[in-house]
Amino acid sequence: MNVINKINKLAEVQSSKIGNGTSIWQFSIVLPGAVIGENCNICANVFIENDVVIGNNVTIKNGVQLWDGLRIEDNVFIGPNVTFTNDPFPRSKKYPETFLKTVVGARASIGANATILPGVHIGAEAMIGAGAVVTKNVPPHAIVKGNPGVITGYVDTFQSSVKFDSIEEGDGVANLSNLGVGGCVLYQLPLVHDMRGDLSVVEYEKHIPFVPQRCFWVFDVPSAEIRGEHAHKTLHEYLICIKGSISVVVDDGAVRKELVLDRANIGLYLPPKVWRVHYKYSPDAILLAFASTAYNPSDYIRNYEEFTTYLKERREI
């Protein structure tokens, strides 16, 4: 074995670009162009093609093939027999001019026998379940299961269960619950029961802590789809699920919580600089949103890494 890199004598390693402390076990093949970082563990029967870059502290379990175009960032775990692909229309002896780039973000984990389609980006710290078939990009921290893969949760997310005291009929005061995430607040709005139908109400600057300049609503969302996935620099937002139910993940860069909006008299206040994700829409869900300003594309932060960088630059995390 090599003293610096523990390369088994039954492995075929043609690349010289291998970092210190990396182990490569028997019957693995590494082609000349591959780049492997430090302290990696490449288990038995792994094949690594030329245009592959692997970061530091990566674990690749038995029976995995890494094809041209794959980029694996630091501290990634890839389970046994995970299948990567790089050509969306493969034909024997016919090759594309360039292979699609597939990226696995830092600290992500991919369970045994999962299949990753070409060109997919898996976000940092995401968790792909065993046997999942990943057909599209995965956001950071998302948990993906099934075929086709769908997001079923988020890693390190606290399930927030808020129980309010009862409100008397016609009471004009809303109960509040600070969620402890970037100033987010859950409001229980006044509710009036009547045999002719129930009624709830919001008063601007009383039940909503700003004067809305825009209102929109979201409906007919397939349950597997994800909405939100952004933060705002200055805009304040207020959400009410007026029918059905949805789950909302709120994230201030330090704490992440998930809560269910399933009553028409519950409002969620989202201040600026909070990342939000809406998912698990029930088939009948209607989400009503109030915004503090008119639509301004430049106010959006649509990439999670950009969001955390934005907060760090302002020393908020």
Side-chain angles (χ1 to χ4, degrees), residues 136-137 139 142 150-154 221-229 276-281:
K136 53 188 176 182
N137 292 346
V150 296
I151 296 173
T152 61
Y154 284 79
V221 177
S223 61
E225 293 303 314
I226 310 295
R227 296 190 61 89
E229 291 190 298
R276 77 287 312 271
V277 176
H278 316 150
Y279 75 127
K280 297 180 182 176
Y281 279 75

Side-chain angles (χ1 to χ4, degrees), residues 29-40:
I29 298 174
V30 182
L31 296 190
V35 177
I36 303 176
E38 297 181 350
N39 299 313
C40 294

Side-chain angles (χ1 to χ4, degrees), residues 24-305:
I24 302 177
W25 295 92
Q26 59 266 38
F27 311 122
S28 290
I29 298 174
V30 182
L31 296 190
V35 177
I36 303 176
E38 297 181 350
N39 299 313
C40 294
N41 189 26
I42 312 298
C43 295
N45 294 292
V46 171
F47 177 79
I48 303 176
E49 211 167 13
N50 282 294
D51 184 20
V52 174
V53 179
I54 300 172
N56 300 320
N57 305 307
V58 171
T59 297
I60 302 174
K61 303 301 283 187
N62 302 47
V64 177
Q65 297 85 43
L66 307 180
W67 307 110
D68 284 343
L70 184 59
R71 303 291 182 266
I72 299 174
E73 297 181 0
D74 295 346
N75 300 292
V76 166
F77 174 88
I78 298 176
N81 301 305
V82 168
T83 298
F84 290 95
T85 56
N86 64 357
D87 187 348
F89 300 102
R91 297 291 187 187
S92 180
K93 305 297 182 181
K94 294 184 179 180
Y95 308 104
E97 292 184 8
T98 58
F99 290 103
L100 294 176
K101 291 288 189 293
T102 299
V103 178
V104 183
R107 301 174 301 284
S109 293
I110 304 177
N113 297 300
T115 299
I116 315 300
L117 266 59
V120 165
H121 287 221
I122 297 175
E125 301 191 36
M127 178 73 70
I128 309 301
V133 178
V134 181
T135 61
K136 53 188 176 182
N137 292 346
V138 176
H141 310 288
I143 300 170
V144 172
K145 299 178 183 177
N147 179 8
V150 296
I151 296 173
T152 61
Y154 284 79
V155 175
D156 298 328
T157 300
F158 298 101
Q159 302 295 318
S160 183
S161 178
V162 179
K163 294 182 179 179
F164 291 104
D165 296 330
S166 62
I167 294 180
E168 297 296 328
E169 290 189 358
D171 192 340
V173 179
N175 284 349
L176 308 181
S177 177
N178 192 318
L179 296 177
V181 182
C184 295
V185 177
L186 203 62
Y187 287 71
Q188 185 181 36
L189 300 168
L191 177 63
V192 178
H193 293 289
D194 192 297
M195 64 182 300
R196 299 166 297 176
D198 294 343
L199 179 146
S200 187
V201 63
V202 292
E203 295 184 17
Y204 301 161
E205 296 186 285
K206 181 178 181 181
H207 305 135
I208 298 179
F210 58 86
V211 177
Q213 300 298 311
R214 178 166 55 102
C215 175
F216 60 92
W217 45 99
V218 181
F219 56 96
D220 289 343
V221 177
S223 61
E225 293 303 314
I226 310 295
R227 296 190 61 89
E229 291 190 298
H230 64 263
H232 288 283
K233 299 173 184 175
T234 61
L235 179 138
H236 300 252
E237 196 170 51
Y238 192 96
L239 306 179
I240 304 173
C241 187
I242 58 176
K243 188 176 182 182
S245 66
I246 68 166
S247 290
V248 181
V249 175
V250 291
D251 182 344
D252 63 6
V255 179
R256 188 180 310 114
K257 289 187 178 181
E258 178 175 332
L259 60 150
V260 178
L261 299 182
D262 59 358
R263 287 179 284 169
N265 69 317
I266 297 295
L268 174 60
Y269 167 59
L270 299 170
K273 295 175 283 192
V274 170
W275 187 264
R276 77 287 312 271
V277 176
H278 316 150
Y279 75 127
K280 297 180 182 176
Y281 279 75
S282 66
D284 60 343
I286 301 176
L287 178 65
L288 177 66
F290 297 97
S292 63
T293 66
Y295 176 69
N296 178 9
S298 65
D299 192 65
Y300 284 74
I301 306 172
R302 298 188 182 275
N303 178 281
Y304 188 82
E305 285 76 15

